[in-house]
Amino acid sequence: MMTNLFSSFDPSTPMLSLNWLSLMIIMIIIPSWFWLIPSRLNLMWIKLTIYLHKEFKILTNSKGGTIMFISLFLTIMINNFMGLFPYIFTSTSHMSITLSLALPLWMTFMIFGWTNNTKHMFAHLVPQGTPMILMPFMVCIETISNIIRPGTLAIRLSANMIAGHLLLTLLGNAGNIMTTYSINILIITQMILLILEMAVSIIQSYVFAILSTLYSSEVN
Protein backbone atom coordinates (compact mmCIF):
# COMPACT_ATOMS: atom_id res chain seq x y z
CA MET A 1 0.00 0.00 0.00
CA MET A 2 1.23 3.48 -0.83
CA THR A 3 2.05 5.60 2.22
CA ASN A 4 1.62 8.77 0.16
CA LEU A 5 1.03 9.84 -3.43
CA PHE A 6 4.74 10.10 -4.26
CA SER A 7 5.69 6.68 -2.85
CA SER A 8 5.27 5.16 -6.33
CA PHE A 9 8.36 7.18 -7.32
CA ASP A 10 10.36 5.99 -4.29
CA PRO A 11 13.48 4.13 -5.50
CA SER A 12 13.78 2.10 -2.29
CA THR A 13 11.54 -0.76 -1.17
CA PRO A 14 11.21 -2.22 2.36
CA MET A 15 12.65 -5.66 1.57
CA LEU A 16 14.76 -5.64 -1.59
CA SER A 17 15.72 -2.61 -3.66
CA LEU A 18 15.65 -3.87 -7.25
CA ASN A 19 13.83 -0.90 -8.71
CA TRP A 20 16.83 0.41 -10.60
CA LEU A 21 16.95 -2.86 -12.59
CA SER A 22 14.25 -1.26 -14.75
CA LEU A 23 17.14 0.52 -16.49
CA MET A 24 18.33 -2.85 -17.82
CA ILE A 25 15.05 -4.74 -18.12
CA ILE A 26 14.75 -3.77 -21.79
CA MET A 27 17.75 -6.03 -22.53
CA ILE A 28 15.70 -8.99 -21.26
CA ILE A 29 12.57 -8.05 -23.19
CA ILE A 30 14.25 -7.57 -26.58
CA PRO A 31 14.51 -11.10 -28.04
CA SER A 32 17.73 -12.40 -29.54
CA TRP A 33 16.24 -12.68 -33.05
CA PHE A 34 16.02 -8.89 -33.13
CA TRP A 35 19.81 -8.80 -33.60
CA LEU A 36 20.15 -11.81 -35.93
CA ILE A 37 17.60 -11.70 -38.76
CA PRO A 38 15.79 -8.87 -40.56
CA SER A 39 12.36 -8.36 -39.01
CA ARG A 40 9.68 -5.68 -38.86
CA LEU A 41 10.97 -4.57 -35.47
CA ASN A 42 14.49 -4.36 -36.86
CA LEU A 43 13.27 -2.44 -39.92
CA MET A 44 11.38 0.03 -37.72
CA TRP A 45 14.48 0.51 -35.56
CA ILE A 46 16.68 1.17 -38.63
CA LYS A 47 14.17 3.64 -40.12
CA LEU A 48 14.02 5.49 -36.80
CA THR A 49 17.81 5.75 -36.49
CA ILE A 50 18.14 6.96 -40.11
CA TYR A 51 15.49 9.63 -39.51
CA LEU A 52 17.19 10.77 -36.30
CA HIS A 53 20.56 10.82 -38.06
CA LYS A 54 19.19 13.17 -40.73
CA GLU A 55 17.65 15.44 -38.09
CA PHE A 56 20.72 15.64 -35.85
CA LYS A 57 23.16 15.95 -38.76
CA ILE A 58 21.62 19.32 -39.69
CA LEU A 59 22.05 20.65 -36.15
CA THR A 60 25.53 19.27 -35.41
CA ASN A 61 26.98 19.93 -38.91
CA SER A 62 28.75 16.57 -38.77
CA LYS A 63 27.99 13.10 -40.12
CA GLY A 64 29.68 11.01 -37.42
CA GLY A 65 28.73 12.99 -34.31
CA THR A 66 25.08 11.99 -34.32
CA ILE A 67 25.51 8.47 -32.89
CA MET A 68 25.80 9.78 -29.32
CA PHE A 69 22.56 11.78 -29.55
CA ILE A 70 20.70 8.92 -31.26
CA SER A 71 21.77 6.61 -28.43
CA LEU A 72 20.68 9.24 -25.90
CA PHE A 73 17.26 9.57 -27.52
CA LEU A 74 16.70 5.80 -27.68
CA THR A 75 17.85 5.28 -24.08
CA ILE A 76 15.49 7.93 -22.69
CA MET A 77 12.58 6.84 -24.89
CA ILE A 78 12.88 3.17 -23.89
CA ASN A 79 13.08 4.04 -20.18
CA ASN A 80 10.07 6.35 -20.51
CA PHE A 81 8.07 3.58 -22.18
CA MET A 82 9.10 0.98 -19.61
CA GLY A 83 7.68 3.20 -16.87
CA LEU A 84 4.22 2.91 -18.43
CA PHE A 85 4.05 -0.82 -17.68
CA PRO A 86 2.50 -1.84 -14.32
CA TYR A 87 4.89 -2.45 -11.42
CA ILE A 88 7.92 -1.21 -13.37
CA PHE A 89 9.83 1.65 -11.79
CA THR A 90 10.05 4.85 -13.88
CA SER A 91 13.75 5.65 -13.67
CA THR A 92 13.51 8.85 -15.75
CA SER A 93 11.16 10.40 -13.18
CA HIS A 94 14.14 10.82 -10.82
CA MET A 95 16.58 13.70 -10.86
CA SER A 96 19.44 11.30 -10.11
CA ILE A 97 19.00 9.73 -13.56
CA THR A 98 18.13 12.84 -15.56
CA LEU A 99 20.97 14.84 -14.00
CA SER A 100 23.33 11.92 -14.66
CA LEU A 101 22.47 12.31 -18.33
CA ALA A 102 22.38 16.11 -18.57
CA LEU A 103 25.30 17.16 -16.34
CA PRO A 104 28.11 15.12 -17.98
CA LEU A 105 26.92 16.24 -21.44
CA TRP A 106 26.91 19.90 -20.45
CA MET A 107 30.28 19.62 -18.69
CA THR A 108 31.81 17.97 -21.76
CA PHE A 109 30.50 20.70 -24.05
CA MET A 110 31.76 23.43 -21.74
CA ILE A 111 35.24 21.93 -21.32
CA PHE A 112 35.55 21.36 -25.07
CA GLY A 113 34.27 24.84 -25.93
CA TRP A 114 36.37 26.82 -23.45
CA THR A 115 39.48 24.77 -24.25
CA ASN A 116 39.34 24.82 -28.06
CA ASN A 117 37.14 27.81 -28.94
CA THR A 118 37.72 30.30 -26.14
CA LYS A 119 37.08 33.43 -28.24
CA HIS A 120 33.91 31.90 -29.66
CA MET A 121 32.65 31.12 -26.14
CA PHE A 122 33.39 34.67 -24.96
CA ALA A 123 31.55 36.03 -28.02
CA HIS A 124 28.46 34.01 -27.00
CA LEU A 125 28.30 35.90 -23.69
CA VAL A 126 27.53 39.19 -25.47
CA PRO A 127 24.85 39.05 -28.19
CA GLN A 128 25.56 41.02 -31.35
CA GLY A 129 24.39 44.63 -31.26
CA THR A 130 24.30 44.93 -27.45
CA PRO A 131 24.93 48.52 -26.23
CA MET A 132 28.12 49.08 -24.22
CA ILE A 133 26.25 50.01 -21.05
CA LEU A 134 24.29 46.73 -21.06
CA MET A 135 27.25 44.45 -21.76
CA PRO A 136 28.05 43.61 -18.06
CA PHE A 137 24.39 42.71 -17.42
CA MET A 138 24.21 40.59 -20.59
CA VAL A 139 27.33 38.68 -19.55
CA CYS A 140 25.73 37.90 -16.17
CA ILE A 141 22.42 36.86 -17.76
CA GLU A 142 24.09 34.68 -20.41
CA THR A 143 26.35 33.06 -17.80
CA ILE A 144 23.42 32.21 -15.52
CA SER A 145 21.34 30.88 -18.44
CA ASN A 146 24.31 28.72 -19.46
CA ILE A 147 24.85 27.34 -15.95
CA ILE A 148 21.20 26.35 -15.44
CA ARG A 149 21.00 24.42 -18.73
CA PRO A 150 21.64 20.95 -17.26
CA GLY A 151 19.12 21.66 -14.50
CA THR A 152 16.41 22.69 -16.97
CA LEU A 153 17.09 19.59 -19.09
CA ALA A 154 16.84 17.29 -16.06
CA ILE A 155 13.82 18.99 -14.46
CA ARG A 156 11.87 19.13 -17.74
CA LEU A 157 12.23 15.40 -18.31
CA SER A 158 11.55 14.26 -14.73
CA ALA A 159 8.65 16.70 -14.19
CA ASN A 160 6.85 15.56 -17.35
CA MET A 161 7.27 11.92 -16.37
CA ILE A 162 6.02 12.53 -12.83
CA ALA A 163 3.03 14.66 -13.90
CA GLY A 164 1.43 12.05 -16.16
CA HIS A 165 2.04 9.17 -13.77
CA LEU A 166 0.58 11.12 -10.85
CA LEU A 167 -2.54 11.93 -12.84
CA LEU A 168 -3.01 8.26 -13.75
CA THR A 169 -2.46 7.26 -10.09
CA LEU A 170 -4.96 9.83 -8.82
CA LEU A 171 -7.64 8.70 -11.26
CA GLY A 172 -6.95 5.03 -10.50
CA ASN A 173 -7.30 5.55 -6.74
CA ALA A 174 -10.65 7.27 -7.26
CA GLY A 175 -12.15 4.11 -8.84
CA ASN A 176 -13.09 2.55 -5.49
CA ILE A 177 -15.74 5.15 -4.73
CA MET A 178 -17.24 5.41 -8.23
CA THR A 179 -20.39 3.93 -9.68
CA THR A 180 -20.39 1.48 -12.61
CA TYR A 181 -21.21 4.26 -15.11
CA SER A 182 -18.46 6.50 -13.74
CA ILE A 183 -15.91 3.67 -13.85
CA ASN A 184 -16.57 3.22 -17.59
CA ILE A 185 -15.85 6.90 -18.14
CA LEU A 186 -12.76 6.58 -15.93
CA ILE A 187 -11.40 3.66 -17.97
CA ILE A 188 -11.85 5.56 -21.24
CA THR A 189 -10.17 8.63 -19.69
CA GLN A 190 -7.23 6.57 -18.48
CA MET A 191 -6.83 4.97 -21.91
CA ILE A 192 -6.69 8.44 -23.48
CA LEU A 193 -4.17 9.56 -20.84
CA LEU A 194 -2.07 6.46 -21.46
CA ILE A 195 -1.90 7.27 -25.18
CA LEU A 196 -0.96 10.84 -24.24
CA GLU A 197 1.77 9.51 -21.96
CA MET A 198 3.16 7.43 -24.82
CA ALA A 199 3.35 10.58 -26.93
CA VAL A 200 4.98 12.49 -24.06
CA SER A 201 7.56 9.70 -23.67
CA ILE A 202 8.66 10.17 -27.29
CA ILE A 203 8.40 13.97 -27.27
CA GLN A 204 10.42 14.44 -24.08
CA SER A 205 13.21 12.13 -25.24
CA TYR A 206 13.27 14.00 -28.57
CA VAL A 207 13.36 17.40 -26.82
CA PHE A 208 16.20 16.24 -24.55
CA ALA A 209 18.25 14.99 -27.51
CA ILE A 210 17.52 18.04 -29.70
CA LEU A 211 18.48 20.51 -26.96
CA SER A 212 21.67 18.53 -26.34
CA THR A 213 22.58 18.81 -30.04
CA LEU A 214 21.85 22.55 -29.98
CA TYR A 215 24.11 23.02 -26.96
CA SER A 216 26.87 21.03 -28.69
CA SER A 217 26.55 23.12 -31.88
CA GLU A 218 27.09 26.31 -29.87
CA VAL A 219 30.58 25.30 -28.73
CA ASN A 220 31.87 24.56 -32.27
Side-chain angles (χ1 to χ4, degrees):
M1 181 179 285
M2 289 194 301
T3 54
N4 57 67
L5 193 58
F6 290 91
S7 61
S8 59
F9 303 100
D10 190 2
S12 61
T13 49
M15 295 184 66
L16 193 61
S17 183
L18 297 176
N19 286 323
W20 294 111
L21 287 179
S22 62
L23 288 166
M24 296 175 287
I25 201 169
I26 191 65
M27 304 306 293
I28 303 168
I29 290 173
I30 295 178
S32 58
W33 51 260
F34 173 84
W35 308 102
L36 297 176
I37 61 173
S39 61
R40 289 180 180 178
L41 189 63
N42 204 339
L43 258 169
M44 185 182 71
W45 193 272
I46 291 167
K47 284 182 180 290
L48 179 62
T49 50
I50 290 171
Y51 174 77
L52 291 172
H53 172 70
K54 289 177 181 177
E55 287 286 319
F56 296 153
K57 184 175 67 175
I58 299 168
L59 297 173
T60 55
N61 297 320
S62 65
K63 293 182 179 180
T66 60
I67 185 66
M68 179 179 69
F69 301 109
I70 292 171
S71 303
L72 181 69
F73 169 83
L74 294 173
T75 302
I76 296 172
M77 185 185 71
I78 288 168
N79 280 289
N80 289 349
F81 267 117
M82 293 308 296
L84 294 174
F85 288 95
Y87 302 108
I88 294 182
F89 177 64
T90 314
S91 56
T92 47
S93 66
H94 272 264
M95 290 289 290
S96 55
I97 294 294
T98 53
L99 267 178
S100 298
L101 294 170
L103 200 57
L105 273 175
W106 178 80
M107 284 293 294
T108 306
F109 298 152
M110 288 297 102
I111 292 169
F112 176 83
W114 286 103
T115 305
N116 298 314
N117 302 316
T118 310
K119 290 182 180 179
H120 181 71
M121 295 298 289
F122 274 119
H124 263 292
L125 295 177
V126 183
Q128 193 174 3
T130 305
M132 285 288 292
I133 193 168
L134 292 178
M135 281 186 180
F137 299 104
M138 290 307 298
V139 170
C140 292
I141 293 168
E142 289 295 323
T143 304
I144 292 168
S145 67
N146 204 354
I147 289 170
I148 65 172
R149 278 179 177 179
T152 54
L153 273 178
I155 291 168
R156 183 186 292 110
L157 178 58
S158 59
N160 278 282
M161 289 299 103
I162 287 173
H165 285 66
L166 275 180
L167 191 56
L168 287 168
T169 307
L170 280 169
L171 289 173
N173 290 339
N176 297 327
I177 56 172
M178 285 186 173
T179 60
T180 307
Y181 177 74
S182 301
I183 285 176
N184 291 329
I185 297 173
L186 176 65
I187 291 170
I188 295 168
T189 307
Q190 286 211 316
M191 288 173 66
I192 295 169
L193 281 173
L194 195 60
I195 295 169
L196 179 65
E197 276 300 293
M198 289 179 184
V200 168
S201 298
I202 300 170
I203 291 166
Q204 287 307 313
S205 52
Y206 185 73
V207 167
F208 195 101
I210 283 289
L211 287 176
S212 300
T213 55
L214 288 173
Y215 296 159
S216 70
S217 63
E218 287 184 7
V219 302
N220 294 324

